[in-house]
């Protein structure tokens, strides 16, 4: 368990170092605490996606949004996106990709797979990430619509009470 936690911590550190803009505030430090309440599968993907939303909510300056997609390939070659723990256990190989725009900024893959299989999952993962970002945008817009300060910025002449 501690080996897995260290692996997750290292993945979070790498992604944070890649996406957070630190040049304007070189003495600023971030402490990220992740508490896993339940693991129904794709836990590292869930951690990465929650991290992106938390950084956005905290208005941390970033190069851009990022998102993680997890996939398991079965013995017959079927790709299962966002796999459960049972699907992860029964898969031939598993993939996790974190994308920022078109760039893959982190990956973690286990099992045996060919270069062609890897490239296929990498390409399809980008397409899945686009849908994920659309969901992020929609969720964040709903959150901002409830924010009085944000509404005042959009409509400075309105009298929100």
């Amino acid at each position: 368990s501690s080996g897995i936690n260290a692996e997750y911590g290292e993945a979070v550190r790498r992604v944070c170092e890649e996406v957070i803009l630190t040049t304007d505030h070189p003495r600023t430090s971030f402490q990220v605490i992740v508490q896993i309440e339940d693991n129904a599968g794709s836990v590292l993907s869930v951690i990465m996606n929650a991290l992106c939303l938390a950084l956005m909510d905290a208005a941390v300056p970033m190069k851009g949004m990022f998102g993680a997609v997890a996939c398991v390939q079965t013995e017959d070659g079927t790709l299962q996106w966002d796999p459960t723990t049972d699907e992860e256990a029964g898969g031939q190989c598993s993939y996790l990709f974190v994308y920022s725009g078109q760039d893959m900024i982190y990956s973690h893959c286990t099992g045996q797979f060919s270069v062609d299989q890897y490239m296929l999952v990498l390409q399809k993962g980008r397409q899945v990430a686009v849908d994920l970002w659309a969901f992020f945008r929609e969720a964040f817009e709903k959150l901002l619509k409830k924010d009085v300060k944000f509404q005042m910025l959009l409509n400075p002449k309105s009298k929100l009470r």
Side-chain angles (χ1 to χ4, degrees):
S1 177
S2 64
I4 291 173
N5 290 337
E7 180 182 317
Y8 293 165
E10 178 65 16
V12 167
R13 183 188 63 77
R14 284 182 169 184
V15 169
C16 284
E17 287 177 352
E18 180 65 32
V19 299
I20 295 174
L21 295 172
T22 57
T23 54
D24 291 341
H25 310 283
R27 294 184 183 169
T28 301
S29 67
F30 293 91
Q31 182 176 13
V32 176
I33 298 172
V34 176
Q35 184 173 353
I36 301 169
E37 294 287 328
D38 187 28
N39 182 355
S42 307
V43 70
L44 188 53
S45 175
V46 171
I47 289 169
M48 292 297 175
N49 293 328
L51 175 64
C52 180
L53 292 172
L55 292 172
M56 287 172 56
D57 188 49
V60 173
M62 297 188 295
K63 293 177 185 174
M65 283 192 329
F66 61 95
V69 295
C71 179
V72 167
Q73 187 168 351
T74 62
E75 296 288 336
D76 67 358
T78 304
L79 298 178
Q80 296 176 322
W81 297 96
D82 194 25
T84 63
T85 50
D86 290 340
E87 291 169 338
E88 287 175 333
Q92 176 184 356
C93 52
S94 65
Y95 308 86
L96 171 91
F97 298 111
V98 180
Y99 298 95
S100 181
Q102 288 296 312
D103 298 329
M104 187 256 304
I105 60 172
Y106 180 81
S107 71
H108 180 79
C109 306
T110 59
Q112 295 182 350
F113 48 87
S114 69
V115 173
D116 290 340
Q117 288 171 316
Y118 177 86
M119 296 306 290
L120 174 70
V121 176
L122 181 68
Q123 180 183 20
K124 287 188 177 194
R126 280 192 184 100
Q127 295 166 352
V128 173
V130 168
D131 294 337
L132 179 67
W133 290 321
F135 172 75
F136 282 3
R137 178 178 295 276
E138 182 180 321
F140 213 73
E141 284 175 354
K142 285 180 184 177
L143 178 69
L144 288 176
K145 285 180 182 176
K146 295 177 183 177
D147 188 332
V148 174
K149 291 178 191 172
F150 181 73
Q151 290 302 316
M152 290 176 70
L153 286 173
L154 290 179
N155 303 312
K157 294 179 182 179
S158 70
K159 295 181 181 179
L160 293 172
R161 296 177 190 219

